[in-house]
Amino acid sequence: MRIAIGCSIAALSVASVAMLASWVDAGPLKGLFEAIPTMMPNTALGFAVASTGLLLFLKGGPRKATSSICGMFVGLIGSVTLAEYLTGTRIVPDGPLVTAADNSQSDQLPLVTAFNFMVLGVSLVALSGRRPVRRISEGLALLILTVAFGAALGYVYGADQLYGVTRYNGIPVHAVALFFVLAIGLIAANQSSSIVRLLTADSLGGMAARRLLPPVILIPTLIGWLRVAGQNSGLYDTGFGTAISMFTCVVLMVGIILYCSKRVHKTDRRRRAIEVELIEKEERFRELFDYSQGMMCIHDLEGRITTVNPATMRSLEYGLDEIVGRNLAEFLAPEHQAGVSTFLRTIASQGLADGILPLQAKSGRQVMWKYHCILVSQPGKEPYIIGHAQDVTELINAREQMKSLSLTDDLTGLYNRRGFLAMAEQQLKLERSDRTARGVTLMFADLDGLKKINDVYGHTAGSDAIVGVARIIKSALRDADLVARWGGDEFVILTIGSRDENADVITERIYDRINEYNAGSDKPYQIACSIGIAPLNPEDDRAFESLIAEADTAMYAEKRRRKGLATQFTPPDMAGESTARPAWP
């Protein structure tokens, strides 16, 4: 575009100076030498209008219509002059606007100039058309270059017939140059120009064209000029001059072709090596993509999936056709789909994103992916996202199980000491706040007679007794209450929101359910427990272990108060005497 603007400005400047020189009869500006034709005012006017039209076209917008008008005017000038040459009559008489100041010559355009003006006008009009028409504009511009080049050779070799037969009907040298400049400007301004694309292409053809065109044009021209100059000077005759010029031209052109071919060959080899390397990298990437045990996915900024690897298909239990083209949100559970838009906004703004993604397989099974995604942006291409993930479903499940095992008792399923302290400390913090206080009571329970059950019926029976008491206590409490196995046969209870409920009521409920259990049990023993109560004051800032010790003391006091607990269990008579099941007092 800058080349086209420069050509149009240069042509307009030269044409304006030549037109002004003709009006004021400034000889040196009209022609370079006395023996060659000078530029007439109408010729300068045609160049000025043509360059103005090209400049308006390059500015774009509504100015393109004015550009076409300029092209029609220039084409009309050339067409009318050609018609005058064909008919032998003057259609447009000489006028004062385009006549030289000295009135020494007619204002009729030279034949070559008229032809080029006609072609130039049509090319300028076609430049504003659609793509096929713009190709015609390029062809006409090449025709102008060809005719102008022939006229230039006429000046170089002294062949008057190529530019005119007299000083007054020949095409001036600066007119030849302006035709060159405007033709180049027309080609450079043409968006459909195959020549411009070739010369600017980063390809072997473009490189060869850029290297070969200048010497192909200049070397034969220079050798021909030297041959004519030597023959005119009497250094050799026509045969020798022709032979030596052809020999020199062939040798130089062969050398240039071989040199350029060698350069092209080296460049081609480098490109082939790069292509082979790219192919190998692509194959390695494809192998990594296909055989990776991690999930790999490519999708656009809207979440639409374009590519997945086999590991992704195995994890989601879908086929390739069932995944590609669908949105990422479709593979998430409904409660997680809203998070996809947040994820896409994050990676679009930051370029990176990672985290845990809960997906739903075809079978309905939930899978958890730990993903890392990156935004890829390339010039001239739509950005896309590459995601890599690992299936961490089993790891998360194992972590939850480990967490559960670390906080729960294996035998009873209740909280263990660690789990109870963690939950109770948090609840106690809430209780000490005026806004969340609901009232809490700490209770401590101990299974009575466990040692005798273990000694007589074995440790399995003892474990069953512990599990039985744990279930009874759990069933007697509400879901909000906390219960844990504190030790071997000890349980700790934290009732939450029991401010309006007497702790004795909960205790009696546990005792009643133990009685119901014993009444319906077919085991050779009965179970019993003692419960101590320690109301908690939210303002008491003692450690929780100290509060539990207080409840433990209350439990032992209750155990002593419940006289006869030790006699509830009567071991079987080792001599075979009949035994009776212990009774709850």
Side-chain angles (χ1 to χ4, degrees), residues 534-562:
L536 295 184
N537 183 0
E539 298 179 355
D540 192 345
D541 57 355
R542 287 181 295 165
F544 212 86
E545 287 85 350
S546 177
L547 300 175
I548 292 177
E550 181 178 336
D552 185 33
T553 302
M555 182 273 297
Y556 277 108
E558 174 65 13
K559 186 183 288 289
R560 289 192 297 270
R561 189 183 68 80
R562 293 170 57 83

Side-chain angles (χ1 to χ4, degrees), residues 385-406:
I385 298 168
I386 297 179
H388 181 268
Q390 293 291 330
D391 191 335
V392 294
T393 306
E394 295 183 0
L395 178 62
I396 291 178
N397 291 338
R399 185 178 298 173
E400 291 296 327
Q401 292 178 0
M402 292 179 62
K403 181 179 179 181
S404 175
L405 290 174
S406 66

Side-chain angles (χ1 to χ4, degrees), residues 446-465:
D446 180 77
L447 177 62
D448 297 327
L450 178 63
K451 183 177 184 304
K452 292 182 179 180
I453 295 176
N454 287 331
D455 291 343
V456 175
Y457 298 107
H459 288 280
T460 301
S463 297
D464 291 340

